[in-house]
Amino acid sequence: MTTKSVKAVKATKSPTNPERVNAILDILAKTYPGVVCALHHRNAWELTVATILSAQCTDARVNMVTPALFERFPTPKAMAAASLPEIEEMIRTTGFFRAKAKNIQGAAKVVTEEFGGKVPQTMDELLRLPGVARKTANVVSGSWYGLPLGVVVDTHVMRISRRLELTKHTAPVKVEQDLMRIIPQDRWIAFSHEVIHHGRQICIARKPKCADCTLEKLCNSEDKTWSSH
Ligand code: SF4
């Protein structure tokens, strides 16, 4: 996109007008081609567990814990029958380990008893698993099943969507509704991956690297550390 056309997009009224949103989506796709989920996993169940563990924890830390956990308890059935203290000990370093262990085992029981050992694919069914809210459900449905049921809203997606004026909300469910309204459904899965990468590398929480940001010309955030316009 030329400087002239970026300026033209910027000049249009609403920050969520389709032309501006498409310009943002194009830049994100070009900046982060082919990005995928950073949580290591080999199936839907492993991704479900890893995503539950990733709450208030880095993906790198989760990836250090999961290989041993999945070797010891390779299936939902094995996890359902595990001793809770043993799960707690294995995931201790991810934080909030008691609640997470309870949720993982609860989810394992529901997957085993109600879904024949297979992680379900619909939003309603995924939300029946303990510890699984819309974010985790969207990660699993999007990254494993390739089904865009919604948009993953984590801390990065929340912060950057607000900085780019794609939403004014602070509640994840409301932010997701705004994003689902303005982003084409076939971009929901990739959008989250791209924005999460952008949030980790460039648009970081404390001091965003605006001088290195490919979206800078389209961004009017008060948090900017540098601006060309
Ligand atoms: S210009 Fe700065 S605040 Fe805006 S998206 Fe880029 S890094 Fe984030």
Side-chain angles (χ1 to χ4, degrees):
M1 182 175 291
T2 64
T3 307
K4 204 175 159 194
S5 59
V6 167
K7 272 185 184 157
V9 170
K10 218 187 91 191
T12 47
K13 344 130 252 16
S14 163
T16 57
N17 72 76
E19 200 185 350
R20 179 175 183 273
V21 172
N22 284 334
I24 290 171
L25 294 176
D26 283 351
I27 291 171
L28 282 170
K30 281 183 188 127
T31 310
Y32 304 102
V35 286
V36 291
C37 180
L39 292 167
H40 298 168
H41 61 279
R42 294 169 296 185
N43 52 52
W45 169 245
E46 290 190 0
L47 183 55
T48 305
V49 173
T51 309
I52 291 172
L53 291 175
S54 72
Q56 310 288 317
C57 179
T58 64
D59 289 355
R61 167 63 60 188
V62 173
N63 289 338
M64 289 166 77
V65 160
T66 46
L69 184 68
F70 296 139
E71 194 180 327
R72 178 83 179 90
F73 308 113
T75 61
K77 195 175 173 189
M79 193 74 83
S83 112
L84 199 54
E86 192 177 355
I87 300 175
E88 288 175 357
E89 200 46 47
M90 295 190 82
I91 65 167
R92 179 180 283 270
T93 57
T94 67
F96 303 98
F97 63 93
R98 289 207 171 85
K100 287 179 182 177
K102 210 169 147 211
N103 282 334
I104 288 170
Q105 189 167 62
K109 283 182 179 159
V110 174
V111 167
T112 305
E113 290 162 15
E114 295 183 32
F115 298 109
K118 195 170 180 298
V119 175
Q121 300 191 19
T122 69
M123 181 58 75
D124 284 350
E125 288 173 324
L126 283 163
L127 293 178
R128 281 168 59 190
L129 309 184
V132 173
R134 283 195 66 94
K135 189 194 89 170
T136 299
N138 281 325
V139 169
V140 175
S141 63
S143 285
W144 185 259
Y145 292 122
L147 299 171
L149 303 182
V151 179
V152 173
V153 177
D154 74 345
T155 179
H156 299 294
V157 176
M158 163 90 73
R159 179 178 70 257
I160 294 166
S161 297
R162 285 173 53 79
R163 283 177 172 170
L164 289 171
E165 301 168 275
L166 301 179
T167 185
K168 288 185 172 139
H169 288 291
T170 50
V173 170
K174 296 271 187 191
V175 173
E176 186 187 355
Q177 283 169 358
D178 281 347
L179 295 175
M180 287 168 74
R181 197 163 42 242
I182 61 173
I183 295 171
Q185 190 171 10
D186 63 358
R187 289 288 281 112
W188 288 356
I189 298 171
F191 171 80
S192 300
H193 289 315
E194 291 156 6
V195 171
I196 290 167
H197 272 69
H198 190 57
R200 288 188 175 137
Q201 292 170 17
I202 303 289
C203 193
I204 49 185
R206 288 219 180 151
K207 233 179 163 190
K209 300 174 182 172
C210 303
D212 299 326
C213 178
T214 50
L215 293 166
E216 190 277 326
K217 286 189 172 65
L218 288 165
C219 179
N220 300 304
S221 170
E222 290 176 358
D223 296 342
K224 284 176 85 169
T225 53
W226 177 84
S227 190
S228 65
H229 54 280

